[in-house]
Amino acid sequence: MIPKELKIFCGNANPDLAKEIAAYLRVSLGAAQVSRFQDGEINVEINESVRGADIFVVQPTCYPTNNNIMELLIMIDALKRASAKRITAVMPYYGYARQERKARARDPITAKLMANIITTAGADRLVTMDLHAPAIQGFFDIPVDHLPGVPILAQYFKEKNMKDICVVSPDIGGVTRARSFAERIGAPLAIIDKRRPEPNVSEIMHVIGDLKDKVAIMVDDIIDTAGTLTQGANEILKNYGAREVYACCTHAVLSGTAVKLIQESAIKEVVVTNTIPLEAEKMIPKLRMLSVAPLLGEAIIRIHQDLSVSKLFT
């Protein structure tokens, strides 16, 4: 039996990451062009044969979210109709993940809707990183490989050889992630107890844990407006006696005035990954970006060879 060929394609969401993954796998990026018609509709051209191939489409659904989602869906449809053997959607950042439940009456569950349309488009598998709610894996009727960003972030801080560290979870929901990070670098854990009176607004009630004279590392999955992050950093420095504050996350959304808030905050360094591309003006001195290409590349190899992906982390 002839083994199926591995091919990497991408849309316009994060071509640099796709090129890194292709280089790691020592394959050429698939020949495809994603453009716009005059009326703004998306036009996808697959310019090489994909018949019988094992296809991986690298396309995070970050800003502009709706455009990137449509690019992904149309690419999947085009590849399916071109007789690809298997299509895996590689979405390092899964857009609409924060709408995974009904918080109020008549709310949509958009994370589930996303799962439905990706599957309907023809995806056979999904690879993603640090879903805002791990339960989203259950929204899919196809296999989902959910990769953690914590090992990459923890390794960076471990190599800094800092002393008297305390890992801080910015809320109760992030405790599992923060605990995993703390275990990897051998540090205690603290938790910020806060409430959200409305979206993108938070109020810190108190901190559970000892931060006195410690180097605090705040760990989260997403930094969006950075309001919670910078408020928390300033609070634990001023009122809880932390010596320094660092922060890290997998997905650097950095919308609105986020970069300005980070630049003016007490945070010494913010470490992120390249699941989402950042414009040059957002790459301020306080920001350090790590690549997830080797991790995604290894996951792709294992999926292609029908090996265990979870072994990457055990």
Side-chain angles (χ1 to χ4, degrees), residues 101-178:
R101 60 190 172 86
K102 290 185 70 169
R104 297 179 300 271
R106 295 172 295 280
D107 271 359
I109 304 180
T110 324
K112 169 59 176 168
L113 175 62
M114 283 280 292
N116 290 346
I117 59 178
I118 290 166
T119 305
T120 300
D124 299 297
R125 194 179 193 100
L126 179 81
V127 176
T128 190
M129 290 191 66
D130 274 347
L131 288 168
H132 189 65
I136 292 171
Q137 294 175 83
F139 293 175
F140 284 85
D141 293 324
I142 57 175
V144 176
D145 292 296
H146 184 208
L147 311 180
V150 161
I152 297 171
L153 298 168
Q155 185 61 31
Y156 173 81
F157 281 99
K158 197 170 182 179
E159 290 172 0
K160 290 174 80 74
N161 293 316
M162 296 187 297
K163 306 297 182 184
D164 299 319
I165 297 172
C166 185
V167 175
V168 181
S169 174
D171 51 37
I172 300 297
V175 169
T176 301
R177 182 183 303 105

Side-chain angles (χ1 to χ4, degrees), residues 14-15 34 41 46 58 61 63 88 94 97-98 119 151 159-160 166-168 173 176 218 222-223 256 280 299:
N14 198 342
V34 182
E41 290 183 0
I46 307 297
V58 181
T61 49
Y63 178 86
T88 300
Y94 185 95
R98 285 173 284 181
T119 305
E159 290 172 0
K160 290 174 80 74
C166 185
V167 175
V168 181
T176 301
M218 300 178 71
I222 298 172
I223 298 177

Side-chain angles (χ1 to χ4, degrees), residues 56 86 297-312:
F56 295 83
R86 180 174 64 181
E298 286 295 329
I300 287 169
I301 290 170
R302 288 175 173 273
I303 292 166
H304 178 64
Q305 297 178 347
D306 295 322
L307 300 174
S308 170
V309 174
S310 64
K311 287 284 180 69
L312 283 170

Side-chain angles (χ1 to χ4, degrees), residues 52-245:
D54 194 10
I55 305 293
F56 295 83
V57 183
V58 181
Q59 179 82 344
T61 49
C62 49
Y63 178 86
T65 309
N66 298 334
N67 284 346
N68 289 334
I69 289 169
M70 285 307 299
E71 284 188 9
L72 173 64
L73 298 175
I74 295 170
M75 286 194 81
I76 291 171
D77 182 75
L79 293 161
K80 196 77 172 178
R81 294 176 188 278
S83 301
K85 181 74 173 177
R86 180 174 64 181
I87 301 169
T88 300
V90 182
M91 298 170 62
Y93 175 70
Y94 185 95
Y96 287 110
R98 285 173 284 181
Q99 292 179 277
E100 89 291 357
R101 60 190 172 86
K102 290 185 70 169
R104 297 179 300 271
R106 295 172 295 280
D107 271 359
I109 304 180
T110 324
K112 169 59 176 168
L113 175 62
M114 283 280 292
N116 290 346
I117 59 178
I118 290 166
T119 305
T120 300
D124 299 297
R125 194 179 193 100
L126 179 81
V127 176
T128 190
M129 290 191 66
D130 274 347
L131 288 168
H132 189 65
I136 292 171
Q137 294 175 83
F139 293 175
F140 284 85
D141 293 324
I142 57 175
V144 176
D145 292 296
H146 184 208
L147 311 180
V150 161
I152 297 171
L153 298 168
Q155 185 61 31
Y156 173 81
F157 281 99
K158 197 170 182 179
E159 290 172 0
K160 290 174 80 74
N161 293 316
M162 296 187 297
K163 306 297 182 184
D164 299 319
I165 297 172
C166 185
V167 175
V168 181
S169 174
D171 51 37
I172 300 297
V175 169
T176 301
R177 182 183 303 105
R179 184 180 292 117
S180 173
F181 186 99
E183 288 172 355
R184 286 178 179 272
I185 66 172
L189 179 68
I191 305 165
I192 294 177
D193 179 24
K194 68 184 182 186
R195 70 183 186 96
R196 287 189 179 274
E198 57 186 274
N200 294 124
V201 176
S202 66
E203 295 176 1
I204 293 176
M205 309 302 285
H206 62 279
V207 174
I208 305 165
D210 180 20
L211 291 171
K212 181 70 174 173
D213 297 324
K214 298 285 180 67
V215 174
I217 303 176
M218 300 178 71
V219 182
D220 212 344
D221 60 332
I222 298 172
I223 298 177
D224 187 354
T225 62
T228 300
L229 177 75
T230 53
Q231 179 193 6
N234 294 336
E235 185 87 2
I236 62 180
L237 272 173
K238 181 180 176 182
N239 297 328
Y240 293 90
R243 190 169 78 248
E244 288 179 334
V245 179

Side-chain angles (χ1 to χ4, degrees), residues 8-23 29 34 36 56-65 67-69 71-72 75 90-94 129 250-253 272-279 283 289-293 296:
I8 306 291
F9 285 86
C10 72
N12 295 318
N14 198 342
D16 289 341
L17 176 57
K19 289 172 186 174
E20 278 191 61
I21 293 170
L29 203 57
V34 182
R36 297 289 186 277
F56 295 83
V57 183
V58 181
Q59 179 82 344
T61 49
C62 49
Y63 178 86
T65 309
N67 284 346
N68 289 334
I69 289 169
E71 284 188 9
L72 173 64
M75 286 194 81
V90 182
M91 298 170 62
Y93 175 70
Y94 185 95
M129 290 191 66
T250 305
H251 309 300
V253 176
V272 302
T273 76
N274 61 344
T275 58
I276 296 173
L278 292 181
E279 301 90 338
M283 289 302 297
M289 182 178 280
L290 308 178
S291 179
V292 297
L296 291 171

